[in-house]
Amino acid sequence: MLITLLPQHQEIDLPGRQRVADVLRQLGLLPGTVMVIRGDELVTERDFLEADDRVEIRSVISGGS
């Protein structure tokens, strides 16, 4: 699967079918701090990503007053 980390615009290629939670763990990302998007679909930690998926992982930004 090809993963694009945003906003860094870093691309990472990981092999095989993997659960989202395992991908985040490999990348050192905490699940509550990012959104994982496959196409137009937001996927959860429990979903599986397939070897041919293209995925964006976007940092969640909070703020305001």
Side-chain angles (χ1 to χ4, degrees), residues 11-32:
E11 290 194 342
I12 299 167
D13 194 11
L14 293 179
R17 181 177 195 250
Q18 299 187 47
R19 191 178 299 271
V20 170
D22 295 331
V23 169
L24 295 178
R25 190 173 305 112
Q26 287 180 59
L27 299 175
L29 300 170
L30 297 174

Side-chain angles (χ1 to χ4, degrees), residues 7-60:
Q8 302 92 334
H9 296 282
Q10 178 183 4
E11 290 194 342
I12 299 167
D13 194 11
L14 293 179
R17 181 177 195 250
Q18 299 187 47
R19 191 178 299 271
V20 170
D22 295 331
V23 169
L24 295 178
R25 190 173 305 112
Q26 287 180 59
L27 299 175
L29 300 170
L30 297 174
T33 64
V34 295
M35 295 185 302
V36 181
I37 302 165
R38 176 180 47 207
D40 293 335
E41 173 191 16
L42 184 63
V43 295
T44 70
E45 297 173 55
R46 288 181 252 154
D47 290 322
F48 277 91
L49 299 172
E50 303 298 332
D52 61 348
D53 281 342
R54 294 180 66 91
V55 178
E56 288 183 1
I57 299 178
R58 298 180 183 203
S59 296
V60 175

